[in-house]
Amino acid sequence: MPVHNRDIAERFTRLANLLEIEGANPYRVRAYRNAARTIGGLSVDIADLVAKGEDLTRYPGIGKDLASKIRTLVETGELPDLAEVEKRVPTELSDLMAIEGLGSRGVKALYKRLGITGLDDLEEAARAGRIREVERFGEKSEHAILAEIEKLRGGAPERMRLADAEDVARPLVEHLTRAEGVEAIEVAGSFRRRKETVGDLDILVACADSGPAMERFVGFEDVAEVVSQGSTRSTVRLASGLHVDLRAVSPSSYGAALHYFTGSQAHNIAVRRRGVERGYKINEYGVFLSGGGEEPVAGAREEEVFERVGLPWIPPELREDRGEIQAGEQGELPELVTEDDLLGDLHAHTDATDGADSLRAMAEAAAARGYEYLAVTDHSKRVAMAHGLDADRLRRQMEEIDRVNDEGKGATLLKGCEVDILEDGSLDLPDDVLAELDLTVCSIHYQMNLPREKQTERVLRAMDNPHFRILAHPSGRAINERAPMELDMERIIEAAAARGCVLEVNAQPARLDLRDVDCRLARERGAMLALSTDAHSTDNLGLMRFAVDQARRGWVGPGSVVNTRDLGGLREALRRR
DNA sequence: GCCGTTTTCGGCCCGACTGTTTTCAGTCG
Ligand SMILES: Nc1nc2c(ncn2[C@H]2C[C@H](O)[C@@H](COP(=O)(O)OP(=O)(O)OP(=O)(O)O)O2)c(=O)[nH]1
Ligand SMILES: [Mg+2]
Ligand SMILES: [Mg+2]
Ligand SMILES: [Zn+2]
């Protein structure tokens, strides 16, 4: 696999940046950025699509020209347009745009006037006080640039995991709720869309007078810096480094503002374009008639905005401009799975291996959540670090499960095991003991760096075992910690669909594996999913909502999720083909 | 560069905040 989607997206982003610095047509620049966004949000590998000769123009924002450029890039590893523009302007200029407050115009001016091409040049010029000599720069921007360089040198800024963002948001929302005159408050942006990571927090408040809320916001104890402050919008940096935007509007604009601030940017643009087509101007204050007129025709509720452009209310998780608008228009928005749909959890550990709580405690905690069943899936022996089970210990655990089930106090415990998939694709326990289980959860914990073809074969071979049921944390990634394994996920999804294997959506906040886009591909290809917490304690059972988030972002409905079924239905759904 | 139950050409979302702007460009949401 020579060219990853990520590489293709990065090249087009670079091309867009350099063209913008050169002063190219901004809509052409936007077209390249859109293409980068589309490609970055794909589950299938573009290189595979090209190899199969598929028509790339079926993807929105990719026309004949871009399709041909992509094909060239995949086949030759080269993007001739990028090579061309790099002959005219230094490619490092694109990286300078990562500096906050520095855009294409600023970079161009610094390059033309001072010959600055990289971070080192920029720092030197700033220290020498030469930046302020350039038009549209001054003392303040010069200092700001130095500060930003400092931050950038301290390591690339990471996006924050959604679960961590919740912990940051909670006290801040609590703090703002107590501001005078706040009638409604919501964390919007990527947080509301439930993206796996967030770049910042975007908080919206409704109030007649924004003053008290804004003051309270910048006065929050964790604020390290007030980046900007106005009457309707302020931005702060928290001690953790996370930025927070607060937007304040009157209650009559709350719906329009919530729509605006929830995004995504691409979704907003698409909805606003529909507005233009229908004679409206849509902004964060409401929907207005294009001809002018001060009075909005809608704005208090989010539904009104959609209604004006002929759409039903679209769940935030879908608002990525990835087909939700067309689906809404045609009345074909998917029914999305909810936490209430789930009748059990199919991946959990106990104190027999690396879990914190007993079988009995886990069964009772599952019942307290209203579950009908809980699969106990402790590690197999290969995972020695977790004191994994051999056949004997697993059999003793099965006996204990029988006893706990007989007591009938908790949810029904299913006999399972998280069986390690060994390097050759065989499973870590003998078939005879696996045959005694209700289900297996199979996963890779070692040798995660095999080449793509081998790693894919390893998983497919594991599926050959008739006792294989669920593929757990399929990519093995840990967000901000460990890259996913090299895998042909499309092949794995297709194999799962064909052979009656189930793919897990692991709810551990660092995993979220499958990803949203993989969930969507799985649904499209007819593979079944299991939403599971991989709980290592009774509390961990409560992580389920994070798996639900990503499944919903993947357009997944209850029908594609095995643990929406009752025990009888589940056993049916887990039958192998 | 993309795209079309108005269009195959001529549009392409719309607004807040900052700084050096002397009347608004640049950057960002
Ligand atoms: N109409 C419009 N809305 C925008 C634009 N840029 C951002 N927004 C809206 C939609 C975004 O979801 C919202 C918050 O902006 P952010 O930059 O924080 O993006 P978002 O939260 O979606 O992603 P993030 O995880 O923060 O990178 O503001 C834009 O160019 N036009
Ligand atoms: Mg955001
Ligand atoms: Mg933001
Ligand atoms: Zn596990």
Side-chain angles (χ1 to χ4, degrees):
Chain A
M1 161 68 47
V3 195
H4 282 105
N5 290 1
R6 191 180 346 103
D7 304 325
I8 300 174
E10 279 172 11
R11 302 259 204 127
F12 279 107
T13 299
R14 179 170 298 272
L15 177 58
N17 287 348
L18 294 178
L19 286 173
E20 191 177 45
I21 290 165
E22 276 198 309
N25 179 341
Y27 297 105
R28 185 174 163 225
V29 171
R30 178 192 283 185
Y32 289 135
R33 295 216 168 102
N34 282 340
R37 181 180 56 81
T38 299
I39 294 163
L42 242 39
S43 172
V44 290
D45 282 298
I46 287 269
D48 289 339
L49 296 181
V50 169
K52 290 181 199 155
E54 293 204 17
D55 179 16
L56 300 178
T57 63
R58 72 189 180 87
Y59 292 100
I62 297 183
K64 280 175 92 92
D65 189 82
L66 270 161
S68 145
K69 287 175 165 54
I70 293 167
R71 211 170 301 122
T72 303
L73 175 51
V74 168
E75 285 168 354
T76 69
E78 296 294 327
L79 182 57
D81 296 73
L82 181 59
E84 276 300 310
V85 70
E86 281 175 337
K87 282 184 196 157
R88 301 192 296 264
V89 294
T91 192
E92 301 80 37
L93 292 182
S94 169
D95 307 318
L96 287 184
M97 286 179 66
I99 294 173
E100 258 193 62
L102 209 49
S104 61
R105 317 301 277 263
V107 169
K108 180 179 191 171
L110 293 172
Y111 173 57
K112 291 274 179 228
R113 293 268 167 265
L114 303 175
I116 289 171
T117 60
L119 227 55
D120 293 334
D121 292 348
L122 185 63
E123 182 168 19
E124 194 187 317
R127 288 202 194 288
R130 292 199 314 256
I131 303 280
R132 66 184 72 183
E133 308 297 333
V134 180
E135 64 270 35
R136 305 217 130 268
F137 286 89
E139 214 172 322
K140 287 205 168 175
S141 46
E142 191 172 83
H143 283 128
I145 284 171
L146 273 177
E148 287 301 324
I149 291 175
E150 198 78 7
K151 281 186 215 164
L152 232 55
R153 288 256 155 85
E158 278 182 344
R159 294 176 57 86
M160 187 178 276
R161 292 173 188 157
L162 182 58
D164 295 336
E166 286 191 352
D167 292 337
V168 176
R170 205 172 295 114
L172 183 48
V173 167
E174 175 71 18
H175 178 79
L176 288 172
T177 303
R178 290 199 297 270
E180 188 192 327
V182 169
E183 296 179 28
I185 180 165
E186 186 107 33
V187 186
S190 48
F191 183 99
R192 183 165 181 243
R193 302 198 311 280
R194 308 308 288 166
K195 265 187 81 144
E196 61 182 36
T197 61
V198 302
D200 69 357
L201 290 176
D202 303 286
I203 305 179
L204 176 68
V205 295
C207 44
D209 171 16
S210 68
M214 286 297 167
E215 282 308 317
R216 214 175 150 75
F217 178 57
V218 300
F220 183 60
E221 58 178 359
D222 270 357
V223 169
E225 180 196 349
V226 179
V227 177
S228 74
Q229 186 175 4
S231 62
T232 77
R233 193 183 89 199
S234 297
T235 303
V236 301
R237 181 173 53 83
L238 300 180
S240 63
L242 192 72
H243 280 69
V244 187
D245 291 334
L246 179 68
R247 194 73 209 251
V249 296
S250 75
S252 63
S253 291
Y254 187 70
L258 185 57
H259 179 259
Y260 152 71
F261 219 25
T262 297
S264 64
Q265 179 195 48
H267 170 91
N268 286 356
I269 290 173
V271 167
R272 288 176 180 199
R273 201 179 51 223
R274 284 178 71 91
V276 171
E277 287 165 9
R278 287 165 177 72
Y280 296 119
K281 178 183 70 168
I282 300 175
N283 58 31
E284 60 266 52
Y285 300 108
V287 180
F288 301 82
L289 291 173
S290 289
E294 299 283 285
E295 283 306 304
V297 296
R301 294 178 313 112
E302 217 177 26
E303 294 91 318
E304 300 170 0
V305 177
F306 288 112
E307 201 180 1
R308 286 285 166 174
V309 295
L311 294 173
W313 183 84
I314 297 176
E317 295 93 329
L318 301 186
R319 300 184 198 171
E320 300 288 349
D321 193 25
R322 291 182 188 156
E324 75 278 8
I325 291 174
Q326 191 188 350
E329 180 171 48
Q330 297 171 348
E332 285 171 3
L333 282 174
E335 181 193 3
L336 299 181
V337 64
T338 67
E339 203 177 355
D340 282 345
D341 292 331
L342 301 179
L343 303 183
D345 194 332
L346 298 176
H347 187 162
H349 298 267
T350 73
D351 54 11
T353 60
D354 60 350
D357 294 304
S358 67
L359 273 181
R360 193 169 277 100
M362 293 297 283
E364 287 172 5
R369 290 183 54 79
Y371 285 159
E372 184 182 344
Y373 49 84
L374 172 72
V376 175
T377 58
D378 273 311
H379 287 288
S380 63
K381 62 184 194 302
R382 169 72 199 267
V383 186
M385 250 176 53
H387 195 40
L389 305 177
D390 59 19
D392 280 350
R393 287 175 61 215
L394 182 53
R395 286 200 168 94
R396 283 203 293 278
Q397 184 181 59
M398 289 190 235
E399 288 166 14
E400 196 186 342
I401 287 175
D402 283 333
R403 284 193 293 275
V404 173
N405 278 342
D406 284 345
E407 290 170 15
K409 279 198 209 146
T412 298
L413 294 179
L414 299 177
K415 297 169 186 167
C417 182
E418 181 171 9
V419 190
D420 196 59
I421 299 172
L422 303 179
E423 286 76 358
D424 63 357
S426 62
L427 300 182
D428 187 28
L429 288 170
D431 282 353
D432 60 346
V433 66
L434 297 182
E436 295 166 29
L437 296 168
D438 293 309
L439 62 95
T440 59
V441 166
C442 304
S443 57
I444 291 175
H445 295 93
Y446 302 102
Q447 296 284 100
M448 301 181 75
N449 55 356
L450 299 184
R452 188 170 192 254
E453 188 61 25
K454 275 197 164 163
Q455 199 70 282
T456 305
E457 284 302 327
R458 179 185 185 180
V459 174
L460 297 181
R461 187 144 317 142
M463 288 181 177
D464 286 342
N465 187 305
H467 304 299
F468 184 110
R469 288 293 179 278
I470 299 173
L471 179 64
H473 43 77
S475 86
R477 67 135 177 208
I479 297 172
N480 289 344
E481 285 172 19
R482 184 175 63 226
M485 293 182 284
E486 295 282 348
L487 277 174
D488 186 340
M489 193 59 82
E490 188 181 13
R491 255 179 94 195
I492 289 173
I493 286 170
E494 284 170 350
R499 304 165 72 179
C501 299
V502 175
L503 300 172
E504 179 181 89
V505 184
N506 189 294
Q508 291 287 325
R511 288 193 183 271
L512 304 181
D513 182 10
L514 295 178
R515 298 174 300 165
D516 51 6
V517 292
D518 303 320
C519 289
R520 186 157 177 196
L521 186 65
R523 166 190 179 264
E524 279 169 19
R525 300 295 158 87
M528 293 296 288
L529 301 175
L531 309 194
S532 305
T533 63
D534 198 354
H536 284 67
S537 68
T538 54
D539 282 352
N540 268 191
L541 293 173
L543 296 174
M544 186 61 91
R545 59 199 180 83
F546 292 106
V548 174
D549 289 337
Q550 299 312 307
R552 290 171 62 87
R553 285 180 56 79
W555 295 50
V556 171
S560 299
V561 178
V562 291
N563 49 321
T564 60
R565 316 253 173 115
D566 63 19
L567 209 38
L570 175 72
R571 289 188 197 281
E572 181 76 17
L574 288 178
R575 269 228 311 268
R576 278 296 304 273
R577 288 195 293 279

